[in-house]
Amino acid sequence: TTKGIDYFFINYPKEDSEGRERETEWCHLDMQLVGASILKNNVVKYFPSTCDFNYCGRAGTKAIMGVKKYGKVEIKNIYPGIDWILSYNNGSKSSFKYDFVVHPGANPELIQCKYKGPGEFHIQNDQWKYENKLGGLFEGKLLCIDKALNKPVASCYKILSEKKQSNELVLGYDLGDYT
């Protein structure tokens, strides 16, 4: 991607009571990093899978063959002085997460995540949640650390804009004092 992440929520078909197969249901949530620059030559990949994966495209699109899965991908300088780290844990509870690394002198206010898709967005108790008819996403409380002082930095999600009619939300972050 050159803009962000596409999340797909899929309910694979099951036979109905008469043995007929039903259609696959799916929902798509698009997350774009507003104003970010995601360049292929700034991508560092860690922990490749030992096998390849094949993806069938939508009708009229070409399948993608021989795709590797990585445990961690780091994209450097998505904003000036800010890196984006995406990681996948395939343990007993598979999980996907992402972190932003804000280097000294960088402006964390540049980080803006624009979400768009069918469903509902909620921020409650410093946690962010998205839900649709097939599933959802949950972002726990933010963990921000000032590495120079090795101390936590107060932080919370901040709604920058919301358009309910088009199911669109732009999130930023409020940070306390840091060096």
Side-chain angles (χ1 to χ4, degrees):
T1 182
T2 59
K3 300 283 182 196
I5 299 173
D6 289 303
Y7 294 98
F8 287 92
F9 303 86
I10 301 172
N11 183 10
Y12 291 102
K14 297 176 185 165
E15 292 180 354
D16 64 16
S17 59
E18 296 176 17
R20 294 178 297 215
E21 194 172 281
R22 297 184 304 185
E23 287 189 34
T24 300
E25 290 183 277
W26 62 277
C27 287
H28 171 240
L29 176 66
D30 182 45
M31 187 274 257
Q32 292 185 4
L33 294 170
V34 178
S37 175
I38 300 174
L39 304 173
K40 286 183 182 180
N41 50 337
N42 287 352
V43 176
V44 181
K45 302 169 192 170
Y46 304 92
F47 316 115
S49 60
T50 56
C51 61
D52 293 342
F53 297 86
N54 301 319
Y55 294 94
C56 298
R58 294 181 187 155
T61 63
K62 190 176 177 182
I64 303 170
M65 311 298 280
V67 176
K68 288 276 188 218
K69 181 167 87 174
Y70 294 90
K72 178 178 166 182
V73 175
E74 181 177 2
I75 306 170
K76 297 186 178 290
N77 285 311
I78 59 164
Y79 301 105
I82 300 175
D83 302 337
W84 191 27
I85 298 175
L86 304 107
S87 56
Y88 178 75
N89 178 356
N90 199 16
S92 61
K93 281 189 167 184
S94 292
S95 64
F96 170 77
K97 73 174 199 156
Y98 58 86
D99 298 302
F100 296 102
V101 177
V102 180
H103 296 283
N107 181 2
E109 291 181 15
L110 293 173
I111 304 169
Q112 296 182 17
C113 302
K114 177 181 174 182
Y115 295 89
K116 185 173 183 175
E120 295 185 18
F121 302 98
H122 308 281
I123 294 180
Q124 195 170 21
N125 300 325
D126 291 333
Q127 299 176 63
W128 178 86
K129 186 191 268 188
Y130 164 79
E131 296 176 294
N132 65 44
K133 66 181 183 175
L134 299 177
L137 295 174
F138 173 76
E139 297 275 350
K141 292 182 179 185
L142 293 171
L143 174 61
C144 297
I145 298 171
D146 184 328
K147 284 193 173 184
L149 301 175
N150 199 26
K151 290 187 176 183
V153 174
S155 57
C156 64
Y157 297 101
K158 172 171 68 172
I159 296 175
L160 301 174
S161 71
E162 186 171 16
K163 297 177 184 172
K164 291 197 181 266
Q165 68 276 16
S166 60
N167 282 5
E168 187 176 296
L169 177 76
V170 179
L171 279 181
Y173 307 94
D174 265 339
L175 299 179
D177 293 334
Y178 62 95
T179 56

